[in-house]
Structures are given as structure tokens and as C-alpha cells.
Amino acid sequence: MVQNFPVTRLRRLRATPAMRDLFQEQTLSVNDLIYPIFVEEDLDDFAPVESMPGIWRIPERKLDTAIKEIAAVGIKAIMTFGVSHHKDATGSDAMKRDGLTARMVKRAKDAAPDLVVMSDTCFCEYTSHGHCGVIVDGDVHNDHTIENLGIQAVIAAEAGADMIAPSSMMDGQVTAIRKALDGAGFVNTPIMSYSSKFASAYYGPFRAAAGCDLEGDRKAYQMNPMNVRESLRESDIDEAEGADVLMVKPAGPYLDVLIQIKQRSLLPLAAYQVSGEYAMIKFAAAAGAIDEERVMLESLGAIKRAGADLILTYFAMDVARRGL
């Protein structure tokens, strides 16, 4: 039987800083975070992303320096995104052993061998139309695309990628990538599937950062933001196909999805605090409307509290520099 006031006083456990720390239910540390980076070829110097204050496009030739700085502050994992100057209809550069995908993975691993390098496996940064695969009769062809995803995944694994992260939202992509990796001898390379990726309005700053000029939209393959059951089906299928980690993207607006996937799957669960989420906090703080550090930590704490084991966030360097 629950006792009420005055016998029960919940403030007893909040009375001092030490008491509050002792009874805190969730913790957030740099070990929970993955830092997404943008690597641009043929760039002379670091270029700021205007829509994402504090984020830079990293010149490929200076990636070694950036990676060593990232590792030095204690970040354990990065996700690599290429800004390609060699785009075509199929994103063929991402399937070449000397292409940007392979080069940036290898350079990152060489600079910091203990850093976990996750390779975003998709084609939107490498296609002239900005879509995530091969266009046939005006639509992204699912089966041609997953075949190419398998090729890209092997290219990244050969370059040293520790994890493959398919984000194109093609049916059967996990099966195709697992088959390709296993066939090439990479049976121990895990797959983090963007299993619940919504057709969100929060991606705008990312597209500017990645140089991704999109023709049309991705609603035919990314999910309707109003659909929860569909996201659960996507996650169930990706788990059955062999995904080692599931992901929800975006994070903050989809905490309900995070909670429900956590309740039904025993796989590790990641969430991507996307560019729009980051930008809103940065610009609101710059306007004096909020305390940036407190809101940053509260937003990340909410994602962790909802069930994420790992969080991809552009705040990773800020959190690491605060010694968390």
C-alpha cells in the first residue's frame, strides 16, 4: 500500500547534490555516443557548415588530424559520411576500392586504430540525383540497390570498417549485405541497420553538410512519420535478417518508437539525434532563448531514458570535452 504525505516525502532523496547523484536512475557518458563526421575530397581546409554551428566538413587530406583529435577527447566511435565530387546516376564511386568511401575509412583507421569506424552504407552522397540507390523508371529500384549496397559494404569492410550501417531503407538490405560480407570473409563484421528511418523534415541541415541535392523526396522508401506499427515491423524484419544493432532516426521526435522497440527486442538499440535536432538547440541558444549545455544534456538524457544504448549525435565532441 502506497503511503502518502506526510509519511512519504519524495524530496528526501533530492535534498543534496550527493543524494541526487546517488539516486539518479540513468547516466550519460561519452561511451554512449557515436560522432558523425563529413569528409570532403578535394577540399583545402576545414569548411564550416552554416546550418550546423560547430560542425565542419573535414578535408580528406586533413582527416588524420581530425581523427586524432576526436580520439584524444575520448570518443569511441564515429560514423563516416563522404562529400563526393564524383557523383553519377548510380553512386559508383562508393563501390570502388579507391573511392571516397574506402579512402576515408582506411585513413580514419590508420590514424586511430582503436577507434570504432562505422561506415554509413548508402548512395545519396554519391548520386547526382541525391536518392539512395539506382533510379529505374523514375523510382529507386529496390533489388538493384541492395545488390550495390552489398558491394559498397564489402568495399568498406576491406578498407577496415568495424561496422556497416545501411541507411537506404531498402527491403532486404540487411540480408543482401550480410550475404555479401560473409561471402567476402567478413563474417565478424556487424551490421547496424537504420531499421526505423522516417521521411523527416529534420534532415535539412544534413543534406547541406553532405552536399546532397535531392530531386523529389524519399517518401517511397523512408517511413511515414505517423506510423509506429510499420516501424516495429521494419525492426522485426531487420532483426530476423541478421542485423546486430537496430536504429531509430530521428531520435527526439520518435521517443515513443524507441520505447516500443526496446520493449520487444533484445538487440542493442541506437538512436540518431539528427542535424535538425542539433541545429534547433544551437540556434535557440545563440538567440539567448535556452541554456545550450543544459538542453543538450537533457535532450540526450531523454533519448537514453527512452531506451537507446547508443546515440549518434553532433554534440559528441561537446559532451566529451566536458569530461562526461
Side-chain angles (χ1 to χ4, degrees):
M1 177 176 166
V2 176
Q3 300 248 346
N4 293 322
F5 180 85
V7 174
T8 300
R9 295 177 181 263
L10 296 182
R11 289 182 57 185
R12 292 175 187 140
L13 304 185
R14 307 174 196 150
T16 66
M19 192 76 81
R20 291 191 292 272
D21 287 345
L22 188 65
F23 289 98
Q24 181 171 310
E25 296 176 16
Q26 296 285 340
T27 59
L28 177 75
S29 84
V30 70
N31 293 337
D32 303 318
L33 308 181
I34 301 164
Y35 188 41
I37 64 171
F38 302 99
V39 182
E40 182 170 359
E41 58 186 353
D42 302 328
L43 182 66
D44 292 327
D45 206 351
F46 292 84
V49 179
E50 292 185 3
S51 57
M52 299 175 68
I55 300 301
W56 304 72
R57 287 185 181 180
I58 302 169
E60 182 186 353
R61 58 176 56 93
K62 295 185 178 181
L63 181 57
D64 317 62
T65 300
I67 289 295
K68 289 175 182 176
E69 180 182 354
I70 290 167
V73 298
I75 289 175
K76 302 297 192 300
I78 60 169
M79 182 77 78
T80 54
F81 295 95
V83 183
S84 176
H85 291 194
H86 297 86
K87 300 184 180 186
D88 60 23
T90 61
S92 63
D93 187 71
M95 295 181 281
K96 296 177 179 177
R97 285 185 169 84
D98 61 350
L100 180 57
T101 294
R103 295 198 311 269
M104 64 184 174
V105 167
K106 184 179 187 307
R107 193 178 287 248
K109 286 302 294 183
D110 287 347
D114 293 333
L115 187 70
V116 175
V117 175
M118 303 179 178
S119 182
D120 177 76
T121 303
C122 192
F123 293 100
C124 58
E125 302 119 82
Y126 302 92
T127 54
S128 52
H129 44 72
H131 281 282
C132 297
V134 181
I135 301 288
V136 177
D137 296 330
D139 189 27
V140 176
H141 194 287
N142 191 93
D143 295 5
H144 289 345
T145 298
I146 64 174
E147 181 179 353
N148 289 350
L149 287 170
I151 297 170
Q152 185 185 9
V154 171
I155 290 295
E158 289 176 344
D162 298 291
M163 184 173 288
I164 300 302
S167 61
S168 63
M169 287 298 290
M170 296 293 115
D171 293 336
Q173 64 182 15
V174 174
T175 291
I177 289 171
R178 185 74 273 157
K179 181 178 179 181
L181 289 172
D182 291 356
F186 295 102
V187 296
N188 292 321
T189 299
I191 298 172
M192 173 191 286
S193 178
Y194 289 64
S195 53
S196 296
K197 183 177 180 181
F198 293 87
S200 173
Y202 285 83
Y203 301 147
F206 171 91
R207 291 174 184 163
C212 185
D213 297 321
L214 178 64
E215 297 176 6
D217 60 51
R218 299 191 176 111
K219 294 179 181 179
Y221 46 102
Q222 294 179 356
M223 285 189 300
N224 186 330
M226 298 302 289
N227 292 0
V228 176
R229 296 195 305 274
E230 183 183 12
S231 72
L232 301 181
R233 291 183 68 198
E234 287 279 8
S235 294
D236 288 348
I237 289 169
D238 282 9
E239 180 170 355
E241 289 184 8
D244 300 281
V245 184
L246 302 176
M247 187 198 297
V248 174
K249 180 182 181 182
Y254 297 90
L255 298 183
D256 58 322
V257 176
L258 269 171
I259 291 169
Q260 292 187 56
I261 294 175
K262 189 70 171 183
Q263 290 171 342
R264 66 195 285 131
S265 175
L266 295 177
L267 289 184
L269 181 58
Y272 199 141
Q273 185 183 50
V274 300
S275 57
E277 297 175 77
Y278 172 88
M280 288 193 299
I281 294 173
K282 282 288 187 177
F283 285 117
I290 60 172
D291 181 315
E292 179 179 327
E293 180 171 342
R294 289 184 63 193
V295 173
M296 171 189 74
L297 294 175
E298 188 173 336
S299 67
L300 293 171
I303 298 166
K304 186 80 184 290
R305 193 179 65 243
D309 301 292
L310 300 168
I311 304 172
L312 293 94
T313 177
Y314 301 98
F315 283 117
M317 290 290 281
D318 295 331
V319 173
R321 286 170 176 149
R322 285 164 173 77
L324 297 177

